[in-house]
């Protein structure tokens, strides 16, 4: 079983719809949660970054983390055709006993989103 | 442009040849990471540096792979005796390290082994 599971989709929605993207994870040591957007044949672009449980909003995007359920979500309001991309969740542990932060990000498989006009 | 840059963007090589990729991080970032991404999958961690020290290596990084960051600035990733299974996108990312965990990715180097 993978540490991070993400439904690959594809997900197709009409312009203006609310989109919900989700990931589950198994490693309770994860403390930092990120969402990346990746266009075809490009590198991932950081969208949102959240520490521990709670919500974070940035424009049309809202990230939610529920550590008790090991479940994170990204909501996109008023979706646009330009939002069409692959969305990747990523997670990281905190610092070790010596205070050095872990470097590794563990990614989900990515969800392919298409927003059609 | 002050983002992460990678060179080359595309590389086609024959099986058995050696290849080397370069990554230039965002200038003030002390951490540099390498990931590999195959079609339809998320990036997989390979290794990372804090300044010039290589702090962690994945089990994915076989003996044919070596990474360096000699002066704590740019980094190179070399693959020796390439195999068809090495065909992938190789991504580089950088970050400021503690206390931030935000990593910023470059455009990637797409490797095709024929």
């Amino acid at each position: 079983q993978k540490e991070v599971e993400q439904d690959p989709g594809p997900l197709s929605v009409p312009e203006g719809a609310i989109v919900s993207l989700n990931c589950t994870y198994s490693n309770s040591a994860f403390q930092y949660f990120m969402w990346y957007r990746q266009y075809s044949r490009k590198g991932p672009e950081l969208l949102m970054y959240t520490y521990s449980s709670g919500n974070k909003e940035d424009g049309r995007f809202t990230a939610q983390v529920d550590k008790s359920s090991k479940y994170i979500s990204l909501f996109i309001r008023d979706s646009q055709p330009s939002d069409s991309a692959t969305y990747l969740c990523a997670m990281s542990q905190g610092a070790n006993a010596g205070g050095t932060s872990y470097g590794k990000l563990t990614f989900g498989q990515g969800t392919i989103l298409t927003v059609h006009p | 442009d002050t983002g992460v840059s990678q060179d080359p963007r595309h590389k086609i090589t024959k099986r058995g040849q050696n290849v080397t990729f370069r990554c230039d991080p965002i200038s003030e970032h002390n951490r540099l990471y390498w990931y590999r991404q195959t079609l339809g999958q998320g990036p997989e961690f390979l290794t990372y540096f804090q300044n010039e020290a290589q702090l962690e290596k994945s089990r994915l990084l076989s003996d044919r792979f070596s990474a360096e960051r000699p002066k704590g600035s740019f980094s190179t990733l070399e693959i020796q005796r390439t195999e068809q299974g090495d065909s992938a996108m190789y991504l580089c990312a950088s970050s400021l390290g503690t206390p931030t965990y935000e990593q910023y990715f470059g455009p990637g180097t797409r490797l095709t082994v024929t």
Side-chain angles (χ1 to χ4, degrees), chain A residues 2 32 34 36 38 41-44 46 49 88 92-95 99-105 107-110, chain B residues 9 31 33 35 37 40-43 45 48 50 55-56 89 91 97-107 110:
Chain A
K2 292 185 176 182
Y32 296 86
M34 281 139 279
Y36 285 85
Q38 186 173 28
R41 298 185 175 271
K42 304 289 186 183
L46 181 64
Y49 159 63
L88 296 154
S92 177
Q93 299 182 49
T100 300
S101 59
Y102 290 98
K104 170 184 173 182
L105 288 182
F107 282 84
Q109 183 178 354
Chain B
R9 296 292 306 278
R31 286 194 167 188
Y33 311 81
Y35 292 83
Q37 186 177 26
Q41 301 297 318
F45 172 80
Y48 90 96
Q50 179 160 302
L55 295 188
E56 188 176 352
M89 174 81 91
L91 293 162
T98 305
T100 180
Y101 294 82
E102 300 163 77
Q103 296 183 17
Y104 296 89
F105 282 80
R110 181 167 296 280

Side-chain angles (χ1 to χ4, degrees), chain A residues 66-87:
Chain A
D66 182 349
K67 290 189 69 180
S68 63
S69 300
K70 296 189 178 67
Y71 187 87
I72 72 170
S73 300
L74 177 71
F75 297 95
I76 307 174
R77 290 182 300 279
D78 187 26
S79 56
Q80 303 295 309
S82 58
D83 295 329
S84 298
T86 297
Y87 288 80

